[in-house]
Amino acid sequence: MFTDKFIGTLRYHVCKIGGARSTLENLEVYNNAPDSFFINIVVKGSDGLISTSYTLTVKDILDFPITSQTLLTTERLEISLLLPGSEPKIIEFLRDPDVLKMRGMGYSPIENIHSIYQNHHDSVYWDKYYFVVRIRKSSEPIGFIGFYQLERPDLITPVISQAPYESVKLSYALSKTYWGQGIMSEALAVCVPWFVKGQNVRELVGFVEVNNYASRRMMQKLGLQDYGLLEDSMSKADLKNTYRFVVYKKSILVN
């Protein structure tokens, strides 16, 4: 857990300096015995490169608010925050060409800030949450579910931009070893309603590769409607193929 917290503090600092969509260009960590680290980082944000240095104490790391506790369970699965310790497994199965083709994009660890999950009111901005899906019997990470707010939905499709509030994109991936067993359907059936209610999500959007019929059926089971091919969709998973995506949208009435 110390490693998870340490990486979480670094990513949080990157986000704080350069914004939610910034990237880490360089990192140097020096151990200041006995209880602190000296950090040099270079972050690329919307305003260009930003270089900064700071001291991070062991107390800062231990106090960083993340948790590995299980948030949701089903008959076969448990769902919790996706922490750095589980990311190598996620990155490994995403290297499978079949998985990448159906997903259309990889996984960027730096975007996962790992702040503690909490319910937010409409006035509090959040950017992304990632959750890991595990088999209960072995606690093995086999997939993940992500939710993140679309920064400019009007650039994607007029269908989405009709909403007077920000759309939240649903994203997920599952190891090919577990395809065809209803695993992701089981996970989404509990995770999506729970997240939508907790975060006051008013519109949920999903993009599915046009030939991924299993995923399209899952979207329909969740109550998302098919709005046809994504306009000007050019999601390139590799240089040889360009994949088209179908837009699914569900508007949620808030009492």
Side-chain angles (χ1 to χ4, degrees), residues 165-220:
Y165 34 74
E166 288 198 50
S167 299
V168 173
K169 180 182 175 182
L170 167 65
S171 176
Y172 51 85
L174 182 69
S175 169
K176 188 178 178 181
T177 304
Y178 295 90
W179 286 8
Q181 302 177 39
I183 295 288
M184 188 52 70
S185 292
E186 185 176 324
L188 291 173
V190 296
C191 191
V192 170
W194 168 78
F195 188 86
V196 164
K197 181 178 180 181
Q199 302 304 323
N200 293 320
V201 174
R202 297 186 180 182
E203 183 171 83
L204 189 66
V205 176
F207 306 132
V208 181
E209 202 278 326
V210 70
N211 294 315
N212 190 347
Y213 298 107
S215 195
R216 292 174 68 172
R217 286 193 296 271
M218 280 195 291
M219 289 286 186
Q220 292 169 342

Short mmCIF file of all heavy atoms in Angstrom, two decimals, residues 165-220:
data_model
loop_
_atom_site.label_atom_id
_atom_site.label_comp_id
_atom_site.label_asym_id
_atom_site.label_seq_id
_atom_site.Cartn_x
_atom_site.Cartn_y
_atom_site.Cartn_z
N TYR A 165 -25.49 19.72 -19.87
CA TYR A 165 -24.54 19.39 -18.83
C TYR A 165 -23.51 18.44 -19.42
O TYR A 165 -23.68 17.91 -20.51
CB TYR A 165 -25.25 18.73 -17.64
CG TYR A 165 -26.42 17.86 -18.03
CD1 TYR A 165 -26.23 16.61 -18.62
CD2 TYR A 165 -27.72 18.31 -17.85
CE1 TYR A 165 -27.31 15.84 -19.00
CE2 TYR A 165 -28.80 17.55 -18.23
CZ TYR A 165 -28.59 16.31 -18.81
OH TYR A 165 -29.66 15.56 -19.19
N GLU A 166 -22.42 18.24 -18.70
CA GLU A 166 -21.34 17.42 -19.22
C GLU A 166 -21.72 15.94 -19.25
O GLU A 166 -22.30 15.41 -18.31
CB GLU A 166 -20.08 17.60 -18.37
CG GLU A 166 -19.42 18.94 -18.56
CD GLU A 166 -17.99 18.93 -18.06
OE1 GLU A 166 -17.24 18.03 -18.42
OE2 GLU A 166 -17.65 19.83 -17.30
N SER A 167 -21.36 15.30 -20.34
CA SER A 167 -21.57 13.87 -20.45
C SER A 167 -20.44 13.12 -19.76
O SER A 167 -19.30 13.57 -19.72
CB SER A 167 -21.61 13.46 -21.93
OG SER A 167 -22.66 14.11 -22.60
N VAL A 168 -20.76 11.95 -19.22
CA VAL A 168 -19.77 11.08 -18.60
C VAL A 168 -19.60 9.85 -19.48
O VAL A 168 -20.58 9.19 -19.84
CB VAL A 168 -20.20 10.67 -17.18
CG1 VAL A 168 -19.25 9.63 -16.61
CG2 VAL A 168 -20.26 11.89 -16.28
N LYS A 169 -18.37 9.56 -19.85
CA LYS A 169 -18.09 8.42 -20.70
C LYS A 169 -17.83 7.18 -19.87
O LYS A 169 -17.08 7.21 -18.90
CB LYS A 169 -16.88 8.69 -21.60
CG LYS A 169 -16.55 7.52 -22.52
CD LYS A 169 -15.32 7.79 -23.35
CE LYS A 169 -14.94 6.56 -24.18
NZ LYS A 169 -13.71 6.79 -24.97
N LEU A 170 -18.46 6.09 -20.27
CA LEU A 170 -18.23 4.78 -19.67
C LEU A 170 -17.19 4.04 -20.50
O LEU A 170 -17.29 3.97 -21.72
CB LEU A 170 -19.54 3.99 -19.64
CG LEU A 170 -19.44 2.49 -19.31
CD1 LEU A 170 -18.94 2.28 -17.89
CD2 LEU A 170 -20.80 1.82 -19.51
N SER A 171 -16.19 3.49 -19.83
CA SER A 171 -15.12 2.77 -20.51
C SER A 171 -14.82 1.50 -19.73
O SER A 171 -14.92 1.48 -18.51
CB SER A 171 -13.87 3.66 -20.59
OG SER A 171 -12.79 2.97 -21.15
N TYR A 172 -14.46 0.43 -20.43
CA TYR A 172 -14.15 -0.81 -19.73
C TYR A 172 -13.34 -1.74 -20.63
O TYR A 172 -13.30 -1.57 -21.86
CB TYR A 172 -15.42 -1.53 -19.27
CG TYR A 172 -16.46 -1.72 -20.35
CD1 TYR A 172 -16.42 -2.80 -21.21
CD2 TYR A 172 -17.50 -0.80 -20.50
CE1 TYR A 172 -17.38 -2.97 -22.20
CE2 TYR A 172 -18.46 -0.96 -21.48
CZ TYR A 172 -18.39 -2.05 -22.33
OH TYR A 172 -19.33 -2.21 -23.31
N ALA A 173 -12.68 -2.70 -20.01
CA ALA A 173 -11.93 -3.71 -20.75
C ALA A 173 -11.80 -4.95 -19.88
O ALA A 173 -11.77 -4.87 -18.65
CB ALA A 173 -10.55 -3.20 -21.14
N LEU A 174 -11.71 -6.10 -20.53
CA LEU A 174 -11.64 -7.38 -19.83
C LEU A 174 -10.60 -8.27 -20.51
O LEU A 174 -10.51 -8.31 -21.74
CB LEU A 174 -13.01 -8.07 -19.86
CG LEU A 174 -13.14 -9.42 -19.15
CD1 LEU A 174 -13.04 -9.22 -17.63
CD2 LEU A 174 -14.47 -10.08 -19.50
N SER A 175 -9.83 -8.97 -19.69
CA SER A 175 -8.86 -9.92 -20.23
C SER A 175 -9.55 -10.93 -21.13
O SER A 175 -10.63 -11.44 -20.81
CB SER A 175 -8.16 -10.65 -19.08
OG SER A 175 -7.39 -11.73 -19.55
N LYS A 176 -8.93 -11.24 -22.26
CA LYS A 176 -9.53 -12.16 -23.23
C LYS A 176 -9.79 -13.54 -22.62
O LYS A 176 -10.70 -14.25 -23.04
CB LYS A 176 -8.62 -12.28 -24.46
CG LYS A 176 -9.24 -13.05 -25.61
CD LYS A 176 -8.31 -13.08 -26.81
CE LYS A 176 -8.92 -13.90 -27.94
NZ LYS A 176 -8.00 -13.95 -29.12
N THR A 177 -9.00 -13.91 -21.62
CA THR A 177 -9.17 -15.20 -20.95
C THR A 177 -10.58 -15.36 -20.39
O THR A 177 -11.10 -16.48 -20.29
CB THR A 177 -8.15 -15.35 -19.80
OG1 THR A 177 -6.83 -15.17 -20.33
CG2 THR A 177 -8.25 -16.70 -19.13
N TYR A 178 -11.22 -14.24 -20.06
CA TYR A 178 -12.52 -14.29 -19.39
C TYR A 178 -13.68 -13.86 -20.29
O TYR A 178 -14.79 -13.66 -19.81
CB TYR A 178 -12.47 -13.41 -18.13
CG TYR A 178 -11.51 -13.94 -17.10
CD1 TYR A 178 -10.17 -13.54 -17.10
CD2 TYR A 178 -11.91 -14.88 -16.16
CE1 TYR A 178 -9.27 -14.04 -16.18
CE2 TYR A 178 -11.01 -15.39 -15.23
CZ TYR A 178 -9.70 -14.96 -15.25
OH TYR A 178 -8.81 -15.47 -14.33
N TRP A 179 -13.42 -13.72 -21.58
CA TRP A 179 -14.50 -13.38 -22.51
C TRP A 179 -15.52 -14.52 -22.57
O TRP A 179 -15.20 -15.69 -22.38
CB TRP A 179 -13.94 -13.14 -23.91
CG TRP A 179 -13.21 -11.83 -24.06
CD1 TRP A 179 -12.87 -10.95 -23.07
CD2 TRP A 179 -12.71 -11.27 -25.28
NE1 TRP A 179 -12.20 -9.88 -23.60
CE2 TRP A 179 -12.09 -10.04 -24.94
CE3 TRP A 179 -12.73 -11.68 -26.60
CZ2 TRP A 179 -11.49 -9.23 -25.90
CZ3 TRP A 179 -12.13 -10.87 -27.57
CH2 TRP A 179 -11.52 -9.66 -27.22
N GLY A 180 -16.76 -14.17 -22.84
CA GLY A 180 -17.81 -15.16 -23.06
C GLY A 180 -18.37 -15.79 -21.80
O GLY A 180 -19.11 -16.77 -21.87
N GLN A 181 -18.04 -15.23 -20.62
CA GLN A 181 -18.52 -15.79 -19.36
C GLN A 181 -19.47 -14.86 -18.62
O GLN A 181 -19.86 -15.13 -17.49
CB GLN A 181 -17.32 -16.11 -18.45
CG GLN A 181 -16.32 -17.09 -19.05
CD GLN A 181 -15.12 -17.33 -18.16
OE1 GLN A 181 -15.26 -17.42 -16.94
NE2 GLN A 181 -13.94 -17.42 -18.75
N GLY A 182 -19.83 -13.75 -19.25
CA GLY A 182 -20.74 -12.80 -18.62
C GLY A 182 -20.11 -12.00 -17.50
O GLY A 182 -20.82 -11.39 -16.69
N ILE A 183 -18.77 -11.98 -17.45
CA ILE A 183 -18.06 -11.31 -16.36
C ILE A 183 -18.30 -9.80 -16.38
O ILE A 183 -18.68 -9.19 -15.36
CB ILE A 183 -16.55 -11.60 -16.43
CG1 ILE A 183 -16.27 -13.08 -16.18
CG2 ILE A 183 -15.78 -10.72 -15.45
CD1 ILE A 183 -16.46 -13.53 -14.77
N MET A 184 -18.06 -9.17 -17.53
CA MET A 184 -18.20 -7.72 -17.58
C MET A 184 -19.65 -7.28 -17.43
O MET A 184 -19.93 -6.26 -16.81
CB MET A 184 -17.60 -7.17 -18.88
CG MET A 184 -17.51 -5.65 -18.92
SD MET A 184 -16.68 -4.88 -17.48
CE MET A 184 -14.97 -5.37 -17.75
N SER A 185 -20.57 -8.05 -17.97
CA SER A 185 -21.99 -7.74 -17.78
C SER A 185 -22.35 -7.73 -16.30
O SER A 185 -23.08 -6.86 -15.81
CB SER A 185 -22.87 -8.75 -18.52
OG SER A 185 -22.74 -8.62 -19.91
N GLU A 186 -21.82 -8.71 -15.57
CA GLU A 186 -22.07 -8.82 -14.14
C GLU A 186 -21.49 -7.62 -13.39
O GLU A 186 -22.12 -7.08 -12.47
CB GLU A 186 -21.45 -10.12 -13.62
CG GLU A 186 -21.72 -10.44 -12.17
CD GLU A 186 -21.16 -11.79 -11.77
OE1 GLU A 186 -21.18 -12.73 -12.61
OE2 GLU A 186 -20.69 -11.92 -10.62
N ALA A 187 -20.29 -7.21 -13.79
CA ALA A 187 -19.64 -6.08 -13.13
C ALA A 187 -20.35 -4.76 -13.44
O ALA A 187 -20.60 -3.95 -12.53
CB ALA A 187 -18.17 -6.00 -13.56
N LEU A 188 -20.68 -4.54 -14.69
CA LEU A 188 -21.33 -3.29 -15.08
C LEU A 188 -22.73 -3.16 -14.47
O LEU A 188 -23.16 -2.05 -14.15
CB LEU A 188 -21.43 -3.20 -16.61
CG LEU A 188 -20.11 -3.02 -17.37
CD1 LEU A 188 -20.34 -3.14 -18.87
CD2 LEU A 188 -19.46 -1.69 -17.04
N ALA A 189 -23.42 -4.28 -14.32
CA ALA A 189 -24.79 -4.25 -13.80
C ALA A 189 -24.85 -3.67 -12.39
O ALA A 189 -25.86 -3.07 -12.00
CB ALA A 189 -25.38 -5.66 -13.81
N VAL A 190 -23.77 -3.83 -11.61
CA VAL A 190 -23.76 -3.26 -10.25
C VAL A 190 -23.00 -1.94 -10.20
O VAL A 190 -23.36 -1.03 -9.44
CB VAL A 190 -23.16 -4.25 -9.23
CG1 VAL A 190 -24.03 -5.49 -9.11
CG2 VAL A 190 -21.73 -4.62 -9.57
N CYS A 191 -21.94 -1.81 -11.00
CA CYS A 191 -21.07 -0.64 -10.91
C CYS A 191 -21.70 0.61 -11.52
O CYS A 191 -21.61 1.70 -10.95
CB CYS A 191 -19.73 -0.94 -11.58
SG CYS A 191 -18.45 0.31 -11.27
N VAL A 192 -22.35 0.46 -12.67
CA VAL A 192 -22.89 1.64 -13.36
C VAL A 192 -24.00 2.31 -12.56
O VAL A 192 -23.94 3.53 -12.31
CB VAL A 192 -23.37 1.27 -14.78
CG1 VAL A 192 -24.16 2.41 -15.40
CG2 VAL A 192 -22.17 0.93 -15.66
N PRO A 193 -25.05 1.59 -12.10
CA PRO A 193 -26.09 2.28 -11.31
C PRO A 193 -25.54 2.90 -10.03
O PRO A 193 -25.96 4.00 -9.63
CB PRO A 193 -27.08 1.15 -10.99
CG PRO A 193 -26.84 0.11 -12.02
CD PRO A 193 -25.37 0.18 -12.32
N TRP A 194 -24.61 2.21 -9.39
CA TRP A 194 -24.00 2.72 -8.15
C TRP A 194 -23.24 4.01 -8.41
O TRP A 194 -23.38 4.99 -7.67
CB TRP A 194 -23.07 1.64 -7.61
CG TRP A 194 -22.14 2.06 -6.52
CD1 TRP A 194 -22.43 2.25 -5.20
CD2 TRP A 194 -20.73 2.33 -6.66
NE1 TRP A 194 -21.30 2.62 -4.51
CE2 TRP A 194 -20.24 2.68 -5.38
CE3 TRP A 194 -19.85 2.29 -7.74
CZ2 TRP A 194 -18.91 3.00 -5.15
CZ3 TRP A 194 -18.51 2.61 -7.51
CH2 TRP A 194 -18.06 2.96 -6.23
N PHE A 195 -22.46 4.06 -9.49
CA PHE A 195 -21.67 5.24 -9.78
C PHE A 195 -22.56 6.40 -10.24
O PHE A 195 -22.37 7.55 -9.82
CB PHE A 195 -20.63 4.93 -10.86
CG PHE A 195 -19.66 6.05 -11.08
CD1 PHE A 195 -18.52 6.16 -10.31
CD2 PHE A 195 -19.88 7.01 -12.06
CE1 PHE A 195 -17.62 7.20 -10.50
CE2 PHE A 195 -19.00 8.06 -12.26
CZ PHE A 195 -17.86 8.15 -11.48
N VAL A 196 -23.52 6.11 -11.10
CA VAL A 196 -24.43 7.15 -11.60
C VAL A 196 -25.15 7.84 -10.45
O VAL A 196 -25.26 9.07 -10.41
CB VAL A 196 -25.43 6.53 -12.60
CG1 VAL A 196 -26.61 7.47 -12.84
CG2 VAL A 196 -24.74 6.21 -13.92
N LYS A 197 -25.62 7.06 -9.50
CA LYS A 197 -26.33 7.63 -8.35
C LYS A 197 -25.38 8.42 -7.46
O LYS A 197 -25.69 9.53 -7.02
CB LYS A 197 -27.00 6.51 -7.55
CG LYS A 197 -27.79 7.02 -6.35
CD LYS A 197 -28.48 5.88 -5.61
CE LYS A 197 -29.27 6.39 -4.41
NZ LYS A 197 -29.93 5.28 -3.67
N GLY A 198 -24.21 7.87 -7.18
CA GLY A 198 -23.27 8.51 -6.27
C GLY A 198 -22.69 9.81 -6.79
O GLY A 198 -22.38 10.72 -6.03
N GLN A 199 -22.55 9.92 -8.13
CA GLN A 199 -21.93 11.11 -8.71
C GLN A 199 -22.93 12.04 -9.39
O GLN A 199 -22.54 12.99 -10.07
CB GLN A 199 -20.87 10.69 -9.74
CG GLN A 199 -19.78 9.81 -9.17
CD GLN A 199 -19.07 10.46 -8.00
OE1 GLN A 199 -18.86 11.66 -7.98
NE2 GLN A 199 -18.71 9.67 -7.00
N ASN A 200 -24.22 11.77 -9.22
CA ASN A 200 -25.25 12.60 -9.85
C ASN A 200 -25.04 12.73 -11.36
O ASN A 200 -25.19 13.82 -11.94
CB ASN A 200 -25.29 14.00 -9.22
CG ASN A 200 -25.76 13.98 -7.78
OD1 ASN A 200 -26.68 13.24 -7.45
ND2 ASN A 200 -25.13 14.76 -6.93
N VAL A 201 -24.67 11.63 -11.99
CA VAL A 201 -24.46 11.64 -13.44
C VAL A 201 -25.81 11.83 -14.14
O VAL A 201 -26.77 11.13 -13.85
CB VAL A 201 -23.81 10.32 -13.90
CG1 VAL A 201 -23.73 10.26 -15.43
CG2 VAL A 201 -22.43 10.17 -13.28
N ARG A 202 -25.86 12.77 -15.07
CA ARG A 202 -27.11 13.06 -15.77
C ARG A 202 -27.12 12.51 -17.19
O ARG A 202 -28.19 12.41 -17.80
CB ARG A 202 -27.36 14.57 -15.78
CG ARG A 202 -27.53 15.13 -14.37
CD ARG A 202 -27.91 16.58 -14.41
NE ARG A 202 -28.08 17.12 -13.07
CZ ARG A 202 -28.45 18.37 -12.82
NH1 ARG A 202 -28.69 19.20 -13.82
NH2 ARG A 202 -28.59 18.79 -11.59
N GLU A 203 -25.96 12.25 -17.73
CA GLU A 203 -25.91 11.63 -19.05
C GLU A 203 -24.70 10.72 -19.14
O GLU A 203 -23.58 11.12 -18.84
CB GLU A 203 -25.85 12.69 -20.15
CG GLU A 203 -25.86 12.07 -21.55
CD GLU A 203 -26.01 13.10 -22.64
OE1 GLU A 203 -25.00 13.70 -23.02
OE2 GLU A 203 -27.14 13.33 -23.09
N LEU A 204 -24.94 9.48 -19.52
CA LEU A 204 -23.89 8.48 -19.65
C LEU A 204 -23.75 8.12 -21.12
O LEU A 204 -24.73 7.85 -21.80
CB LEU A 204 -24.25 7.24 -18.83
CG LEU A 204 -23.17 6.18 -18.67
CD1 LEU A 204 -22.00 6.72 -17.85
CD2 LEU A 204 -23.74 4.93 -18.00
N VAL A 205 -22.51 8.11 -21.60
CA VAL A 205 -22.23 7.86 -23.01
C VAL A 205 -21.22 6.73 -23.13
O VAL A 205 -20.30 6.61 -22.33
CB VAL A 205 -21.66 9.14 -23.68
CG1 VAL A 205 -21.27 8.86 -25.13
CG2 VAL A 205 -22.66 10.27 -23.61
N GLY A 206 -21.40 5.89 -24.14
CA GLY A 206 -20.43 4.84 -24.42
C GLY A 206 -20.14 4.78 -25.91
O GLY A 206 -21.03 5.03 -26.73
N PHE A 207 -18.91 4.47 -26.27
CA PHE A 207 -18.52 4.29 -27.67
C PHE A 207 -18.06 2.85 -27.85
O PHE A 207 -17.17 2.39 -27.15
CB PHE A 207 -17.38 5.24 -28.05
CG PHE A 207 -17.67 6.68 -27.75
CD1 PHE A 207 -16.75 7.48 -27.09
CD2 PHE A 207 -18.89 7.24 -28.10
CE1 PHE A 207 -17.02 8.80 -26.80
CE2 PHE A 207 -19.17 8.57 -27.82
CZ PHE A 207 -18.23 9.36 -27.17
N VAL A 208 -18.66 2.14 -28.79
CA VAL A 208 -18.38 0.72 -28.98
C VAL A 208 -17.91 0.47 -30.41
O VAL A 208 -18.51 0.98 -31.35
CB VAL A 208 -19.64 -0.13 -28.69
CG1 VAL A 208 -19.34 -1.61 -28.87
CG2 VAL A 208 -20.15 0.15 -27.28
N GLU A 209 -16.87 -0.33 -30.57
CA GLU A 209 -16.40 -0.72 -31.89
C GLU A 209 -17.55 -1.40 -32.61
O GLU A 209 -18.26 -2.23 -32.04
CB GLU A 209 -15.19 -1.65 -31.76
CG GLU A 209 -14.31 -1.72 -32.99
CD GLU A 209 -14.85 -2.67 -34.03
OE1 GLU A 209 -15.45 -3.69 -33.64
OE2 GLU A 209 -14.68 -2.39 -35.23
N VAL A 210 -17.75 -1.05 -33.88
CA VAL A 210 -18.97 -1.43 -34.59
C VAL A 210 -19.17 -2.94 -34.68
O VAL A 210 -20.31 -3.42 -34.72
CB VAL A 210 -18.97 -0.79 -36.00
CG1 VAL A 210 -17.92 -1.43 -36.89
CG2 VAL A 210 -20.35 -0.84 -36.63
N ASN A 211 -18.09 -3.72 -34.67
CA ASN A 211 -18.22 -5.18 -34.77
C ASN A 211 -18.19 -5.88 -33.41
O ASN A 211 -18.21 -7.11 -33.35
CB ASN A 211 -17.10 -5.75 -35.65
CG ASN A 211 -17.23 -5.29 -37.09
OD1 ASN A 211 -18.32 -5.31 -37.66
ND2 ASN A 211 -16.12 -4.85 -37.69
N ASN A 212 -18.14 -5.11 -32.34
CA ASN A 212 -18.11 -5.70 -31.00
C ASN A 212 -19.55 -5.88 -30.52
O ASN A 212 -20.08 -5.12 -29.72
CB ASN A 212 -17.34 -4.78 -30.05
CG ASN A 212 -17.07 -5.43 -28.70
OD1 ASN A 212 -17.64 -6.47 -28.37
ND2 ASN A 212 -16.20 -4.82 -27.92
N TYR A 213 -20.18 -6.93 -31.02
CA TYR A 213 -21.61 -7.13 -30.76
C TYR A 213 -21.90 -7.45 -29.29
O TYR A 213 -22.94 -7.06 -28.77
CB TYR A 213 -22.14 -8.24 -31.67
CG TYR A 213 -22.03 -7.90 -33.13
CD1 TYR A 213 -21.08 -8.52 -33.94
CD2 TYR A 213 -22.85 -6.93 -33.71
CE1 TYR A 213 -20.96 -8.19 -35.28
CE2 TYR A 213 -22.73 -6.59 -35.04
CZ TYR A 213 -21.78 -7.22 -35.83
OH TYR A 213 -21.66 -6.88 -37.15
N ALA A 214 -20.98 -8.14 -28.63
CA ALA A 214 -21.19 -8.46 -27.21
C ALA A 214 -21.24 -7.18 -26.39
O ALA A 214 -22.09 -7.02 -25.51
CB ALA A 214 -20.07 -9.37 -26.71
N SER A 215 -20.34 -6.25 -26.68
CA SER A 215 -20.31 -4.99 -25.94
C SER A 215 -21.53 -4.13 -26.28
O SER A 215 -22.09 -3.45 -25.41
CB SER A 215 -19.02 -4.22 -26.26
OG SER A 215 -18.80 -3.19 -25.33
N ARG A 216 -21.98 -4.19 -27.50
CA ARG A 216 -23.17 -3.44 -27.89
C ARG A 216 -24.40 -3.96 -27.14
O ARG A 216 -25.25 -3.18 -26.71
CB ARG A 216 -23.37 -3.51 -29.40
CG ARG A 216 -22.29 -2.76 -30.18
CD ARG A 216 -22.40 -2.95 -31.67
NE ARG A 216 -23.58 -2.30 -32.23
CZ ARG A 216 -23.82 -2.19 -33.53
NH1 ARG A 216 -22.94 -2.67 -34.41
NH2 ARG A 216 -24.90 -1.59 -33.97
N ARG A 217 -24.47 -5.28 -26.96
CA ARG A 217 -25.58 -5.85 -26.20
C ARG A 217 -25.51 -5.41 -24.73
O ARG A 217 -26.55 -5.14 -24.10
CB ARG A 217 -25.57 -7.38 -26.30
CG ARG A 217 -26.02 -7.92 -27.64
CD ARG A 217 -26.29 -9.41 -27.57
NE ARG A 217 -25.08 -10.17 -27.28
CZ ARG A 217 -24.24 -10.63 -28.21
NH1 ARG A 217 -24.48 -10.40 -29.50
NH2 ARG A 217 -23.18 -11.33 -27.88
N MET A 218 -24.29 -5.31 -24.19
CA MET A 218 -24.14 -4.87 -22.80
C MET A 218 -24.65 -3.44 -22.64
O MET A 218 -25.29 -3.10 -21.65
CB MET A 218 -22.68 -4.97 -22.36
CG MET A 218 -22.26 -6.37 -21.96
SD MET A 218 -20.70 -6.40 -21.05
CE MET A 218 -19.55 -5.95 -22.32
N MET A 219 -24.32 -2.58 -23.60
CA MET A 219 -24.79 -1.20 -23.54
C MET A 219 -26.31 -1.14 -23.52
O MET A 219 -26.92 -0.38 -22.77
CB MET A 219 -24.25 -0.41 -24.74
CG MET A 219 -22.77 -0.15 -24.69
SD MET A 219 -22.35 1.12 -23.49
CE MET A 219 -20.61 1.33 -23.81
N GLN A 220 -26.93 -1.96 -24.36
CA GLN A 220 -28.39 -1.98 -24.42
C GLN A 220 -29.00 -2.48 -23.11
O GLN A 220 -30.02 -1.98 -22.65
CB GLN A 220 -28.83 -2.84 -25.61
CG GLN A 220 -28.48 -2.21 -26.95
CD GLN A 220 -28.66 -3.16 -28.12
OE1 GLN A 220 -28.74 -4.38 -27.94
NE2 GLN A 220 -28.73 -2.61 -29.32
#
